[in-house]
Amino acid sequence: MFEGWIQYYMAKDGIGRPRDVTCEDVLTAFDDVEKPVATGKLLAEMLDVSKQSVLRRLQELEEEGRVERWKVGSRAVVWWPTEES
């Protein structure tokens, strides 16, 4: 049981320190957003974790086709879950 927990919360390759937030945590946070899109900063504040942690999970989710993103400004990016999520 403990071994499964470690695999779930570690990076995909099993190397590195435990995750502060999971991909499922990030997807669930979208349910509480009152707009159709969210920023990494907003999701990080909602989950009380670092923005970098959330951005790493969002990138993983994007690679899996579970979220999409749109760069709306020079540094601003918004994210939303796909229909498949």
Side-chain angles (χ1 to χ4, degrees):
M1 170 137 173
F2 182 71
E3 187 174 304
W5 177 87
I6 288 176
Q7 290 175 348
Y8 181 74
Y9 286 97
M10 296 293 279
K12 281 187 174 185
D13 58 8
I15 300 171
R17 62 186 187 91
R19 294 179 170 190
D20 296 329
V21 63
T22 67
C23 290
E24 295 308 316
D25 293 336
V26 173
L27 283 175
T28 301
F30 276 105
D31 295 338
D32 295 330
V33 176
E34 296 177 3
K35 305 288 183 194
V37 298
T39 63
K41 180 180 178 181
L42 174 64
L43 294 169
E45 289 172 357
M46 292 172 65
L47 293 166
D48 195 27
V49 296
S50 73
K51 181 179 169 186
Q52 285 304 106
S53 292
V54 168
L55 291 176
R56 282 192 292 272
R57 299 300 81 80
L58 286 167
Q59 289 171 349
E60 285 180 37
L61 289 164
E62 183 181 35
E63 289 172 7
E64 296 170 2
R66 299 172 72 189
V67 298
E68 292 184 36
R69 70 178 167 148
W70 181 27
K71 189 171 182 178
V72 294
S74 63
R75 292 177 47 184
V77 177
V78 293
W79 302 83
W80 63 93
T82 62
E83 300 277 329
E84 300 157 5
S85 292

